[in-house]
Structures are given as structure tokens and as C-alpha cells.
Amino acid sequence: MLLIPAIDLKDGQCVRLKQGVMDDATVFSDDPVQVAAHWRDQGARRLHLVDLNGAFAGKPKNLAVIRDILGEVGDELPVQLGGGIRDLDTIEKYLDMGLSYVIIGTAAVKTPGFLHDACDAFPGQVIVGLDAKDGMVAIDGWAKITNHKVIDLAKRFQDYGVNSVIYTDIGRDGMMNGVNIDATVKLAQALTIPVIASGGLSNLDDIRALCAVADEGVEGAITGRAIYEGGIDFAAAQTLADELSD
């Protein structure tokens, strides 16, 4: 079970949002590069970056700090990034900078042809991010609930060749009230590619619950607010996950 620290970037700072609301941001550091180095030193084996400004603008907005983060840790651990990735040129630019995986979310739902092309052009390096509420996919910063069932879309994108699926229960993200284990497992069981859980991770009991279902295809979990506010000691949590996964 891979625990993946999240670094959400807004105006060059490391922040966390509650339920995706840009105006409800808590700033945790004005030096995201130092934050990335900290999680590396704590034993992280992958990092999750989000360009929040980019997600809302539809194009990269935190390029300089992303480049600096990759310069600091990119040679030592894989880094995945989402937010504002809408064309193949942007993907190529990020991968050339040293990014390991790009995450395509809203654009995958709105323009599935783009996701298909990205998987063809950059095999093994495209992750799809699906945000859902009550099993239905949400887009546009969670402002709109579509009529797409998350399992149906995930199966289609699996056929395109995506590396894995990041599944976020938007009712729980940033609220620290537990991971939606049942929905995550249900999705993982429907797929042959790995699922990464996101949203709601709050304590070691959540880690134990996720490790118990790792064999169903749940590869890892992204953690944000809990590791910044002290609800989870990251190094201890990853050690626990390793012990439970042996």
C-alpha cells in the first residue's frame, strides 16, 4: 500500500482546500520545494501534485515551482501531477521536465478522444482522475455532477490504456472523516488496473482498512490535510502500511 503525500499548489504556495473550494484554502507552506523534500525524507515513494490555478484556468499556472520540485526530488521518486492538462503539448512538456505521470480529470470526461490520444502517445504515463458523488462522476472542480456512472467510465478509460485510476469521493475530500472504502473497493473490483484512493484519509484506522483491501486492486492512497495537520504521522503510517502489506 503506497501512501502518496499531496502537494496542492495555489499561487506558488502549498495549500489544502476543503471540498475543492478555491476560496477555502489553508496555506501550509510558501515553499513547496521544501515540502516535497520533507515528504521524500519521511519515506514517501511517490508524490502527488495538483496545479489548482491550472485546473481552473485550463492551462499550467505553477510551472516554475513544479520544475523546482522535480529538480529537487524527481530523480529519487516518481511524481504525478494533475490540473490544467488539456493538450498533448502540455503533457510532453511536463514529462520532459521529469514528471513520471500526468493525471487527466475533467478533460477525460469532456473530451475522451484527448485521453485516448494521450494514452496512445504516452503509454503507461497517463492516470485518469475520477471524482464522484454517490457513484456519479463530477467535473469542473466538482461544480457539476454528470450522468456518468464512475464504474462505466473507468472501464472505458481502462480500455484506452490508462495506467491507473485515482478515485475521489468528493463528499469526503478535505473533511478528514474517513475513506469511502466500499465505493473504492467496488470500483477496484470492476477493473484490472490499479485504483488509488483519495479523499477523507484521517487516521491509522483508515490505513488499516485500506491495507485490508489492497488485494482487491487498491494500490495506494493520497493523503493531504491529515499529514499537514498532524492527524497522521506520515513515516509511521507508511511503515504500518508496509508491515500490513507483507
Side-chain angles (χ1 to χ4, degrees), residues 222-236:
I222 294 166
T223 176
R225 186 171 290 273
I227 56 172
Y228 288 100
E229 294 188 345
I232 292 177
D233 177 299
F234 179 83

Side-chain angles (χ1 to χ4, degrees), residues 48 69 74 102 110 119 153 156 179 202:
H48 176 81
I69 288 172
V102 294
K110 286 186 166 182
C119 290
L153 266 191
R156 187 200 305 177
V179 177
S202 58

Side-chain angles (χ1 to χ4, degrees), residues 66-77:
I66 291 165
R67 183 180 289 110
D68 290 345
I69 288 172
L70 291 169
E72 175 67 31
V73 304
D75 290 338
E76 298 169 80
L77 72 170

Side-chain angles (χ1 to χ4, degrees), residues 12-154:
Q13 297 177 311
C14 172
V15 308
R16 290 301 291 168
L17 306 184
K18 281 189 178 178
Q19 296 190 299
V21 180
M22 280 289 271
D23 291 337
D24 195 359
T26 303
V27 177
F28 286 109
S29 174
D30 57 9
D31 187 355
V33 179
Q34 186 275 326
V35 173
H38 171 74
W39 297 130
R40 173 200 61 200
D41 295 345
Q42 290 290 304
R45 296 197 286 271
R46 188 186 292 195
L47 282 183
H48 176 81
L49 306 183
V50 181
D51 181 352
L52 291 171
N53 303 103
F56 282 84
K59 57 185 177 181
K61 286 291 186 181
N62 283 279
L63 268 175
V65 69
I66 291 165
R67 183 180 289 110
D68 290 345
I69 288 172
L70 291 169
E72 175 67 31
V73 304
D75 290 338
E76 298 169 80
L77 72 170
V79 180
Q80 61 192 39
L81 172 114
I85 298 172
R86 301 285 192 272
D87 57 65
L88 298 181
D89 288 344
T90 298
I91 297 175
E92 186 171 28
K93 179 187 295 185
Y94 275 135
L95 296 179
D96 286 346
M97 284 167 53
L99 198 71
S100 297
Y101 307 99
V102 294
I103 302 162
I104 301 175
T106 290
V109 182
K110 286 186 166 182
T111 52
F114 163 56
L115 179 68
H116 198 291
D117 291 344
C119 290
D120 285 346
F122 309 103
Q125 294 185 287
V126 178
I127 295 172
V128 70
L130 292 177
D131 307 330
K133 185 173 185 180
D134 300 325
M136 307 303 287
V137 173
I139 59 173
D140 294 335
W142 307 346
K144 180 181 178 185
I145 306 295
T146 70
N147 58 2
H148 295 293
K149 292 181 179 178
V150 67
I151 288 178
D152 292 345
L153 266 191

